[in-house]
Amino acid sequence: MDDSAPWKTEETIVGLSQLPVLSGASRFGGCHLFSTDPDDAELHFRKAVLHRKAGRPAEAEACWRRILTLKGPDRFCSVDQDIYGHLTLRNLALLAEQRGDQAEARRLWKMVLDACPGDAEAMARGEAAQ
C-alpha cells in the first residue's frame, strides 16, 4: 500500500496556504509542495490545478506537460494512473481551447480518444475544435 497520501495532503495544504502570497511560478515551484519528490505526478497535477484556479494558465500547462514526461510507477500506488495520460491531456486540450489554439486542441483531443476510444467528450470537443 502506498503510504504517501498523508504527506501529500499536508504538502498540498501548505501549497494552498501559500498560493495567495505567491507572485509567480518560480516562487510557487520552489515552495514546500515539491520538497519530498520533484517527480511526483500527483503533486504536479495538483500544482497545475492551483495555477489554473489562480488564473495562471501558462504555469498550469507547464505542470501538466511535465507530467507527460514522467514514467508511471511500476508498483501499486494510490495515484490514479490516468493522470499520466488522458486526464492530463484533457486539461491541456481545454487550455488550448481557452487560448484559441484549435489545432493544438484537436491534436490533444485525438490523443485522449487514442487513450479512451469512443469518449463522448473527446469526440464532441475534438470536432468542435475543427
Side-chain angles (χ1 to χ4, degrees), residues 65-118:
R65 289 201 182 276
R66 172 76 173 118
I67 292 168
L68 297 178
T69 70
L70 300 174
K71 180 182 177 289
D74 294 327
R75 62 183 178 88
F76 173 78
C77 68
S78 63
V79 176
D80 184 342
Q81 295 300 297
D82 293 329
I83 69 170
Y84 292 94
H86 79 90
L87 293 178
T88 295
L89 292 167
R90 286 173 195 279
N91 283 291
L92 289 169
L94 291 170
L95 287 177
E97 286 178 0
Q98 289 171 356
R99 71 173 178 269
D101 188 346
Q102 299 307 318
E104 178 67 357
R106 272 193 310 277
R107 185 184 77 78
L108 290 162
W109 285 119
K110 182 183 179 322
M111 292 174 73
V112 171
L113 275 174
D114 290 345
C116 303

Side-chain angles (χ1 to χ4, degrees), residues 49-62:
V49 171
L50 293 174
H51 278 306
R52 186 188 64 208
K53 289 181 184 251
R56 294 191 295 265
E59 291 89 341
E61 181 171 354

